[in-house]
Amino acid sequence: MQVTMTVNDVEVTRDIEARLLLVHFLRDVLGLTGTHWGCDTSNCGTCVVWLDGEPVKSCTVLAAMAGGHQVRTVEGLAKGADLDPIQQGFMQCHGLQCGFCTPGMMMTARALLDRNPDPSETEIREAISGQICRCTGYATIVRSVRWAAVAEAQAAAQVTETTESTEAGEIDNAGQPAEAAA
């Protein structure tokens, strides 16, 4: 059968077997190996991707069921060369050791921050409770998510401050204080 879906903002059409799981479609057909395949029983969470903006375990979704939908994988988090803050947080706070759970953790954490930009430690732990990490003990993962939340809040505050200063005439179009431009 033929399936068409949008993966990381690119429409793809492929001939597939009707029983092909989304995780295998992404990895084996499209070559997007960032999505990991772990337990094949929906217990570990390493295979989490987004389907129409919601985290799903791709080992429980047939590729045919994703037809006509938007799929985002860990490869789609970055914007060009700019890593997503959640990716930066995992680097800054050592939120991984072996890295096997990391793609699923990052997709779940990004979804959390999209819904709740300032989650508590408890809320982060609850959000990632469907994922298994056998290396970190979760503390560094929680720190990574908090780092991303703080980084996004600081970036948003800078944008707001710059916008307000520009509107007030304090900063010129080149980003310099107005008196320096005069």
Side-chain angles (χ1 to χ4, degrees):
M1 71 177 291
Q2 193 173 70
V3 66
T4 300
M5 66 185 77
T6 303
V7 179
N8 298 332
D9 300 322
V10 176
E11 186 174 287
V12 295
T13 301
R14 299 291 190 278
D15 288 318
I16 62 167
E17 290 184 38
R19 64 185 179 160
L20 184 67
L21 293 172
L22 182 57
V23 66
H24 298 303
F25 177 77
L26 295 169
R27 291 181 58 79
D28 303 335
V29 176
L30 299 183
L32 297 172
T33 58
T35 301
H36 290 169
W37 174 44
C39 66
D40 213 15
T41 61
S42 80
N43 290 319
C44 72
T46 64
C47 66
V48 169
V49 299
W50 293 354
L51 186 62
D52 292 335
E54 288 298 318
V56 298
K57 294 179 178 177
S58 60
C59 74
T60 64
V61 177
L62 293 172
M65 294 169 62
H69 295 277
Q70 300 274 333
V71 176
R72 180 151 320 271
T73 69
V74 71
E75 289 93 344
L77 281 180
K79 305 280 190 273
D82 296 327
L83 293 179
D84 184 273
I86 205 71
Q87 293 170 307
Q88 293 172 348
F90 270 70
M91 285 177 26
Q92 293 295 321
C93 299
H94 309 286
L96 61 105
Q97 285 185 19
C98 80
F100 194 73
C101 71
T102 304
M105 287 284 188
M106 285 195 284
M107 296 304 291
T108 300
R110 175 76 265 155
L112 169 65
L113 292 181
D114 287 348
R115 284 193 289 278
N116 178 0
D118 188 25
S120 67
E121 178 178 337
T122 301
E123 291 168 320
I124 295 168
R125 287 183 179 278
E126 183 179 321
I128 64 172
S129 65
Q131 331 278 134
I132 294 175
C133 175
R134 296 185 179 180
C135 302
T136 67
Y138 299 95
T140 56
I141 293 170
V142 171
R143 275 198 300 273
S144 299
V145 178
R146 283 297 311 146
W147 186 97
V150 169
E152 287 183 342
Q154 289 173 342
Q158 286 177 339
V159 168
T160 300
E161 186 177 296
T162 301
T163 301
E164 289 171 357
S165 296
T166 302
E167 289 172 356
E170 298 168 10
I171 296 179
D172 68 10
N173 290 337
Q176 300 299 317
E179 61 272 3

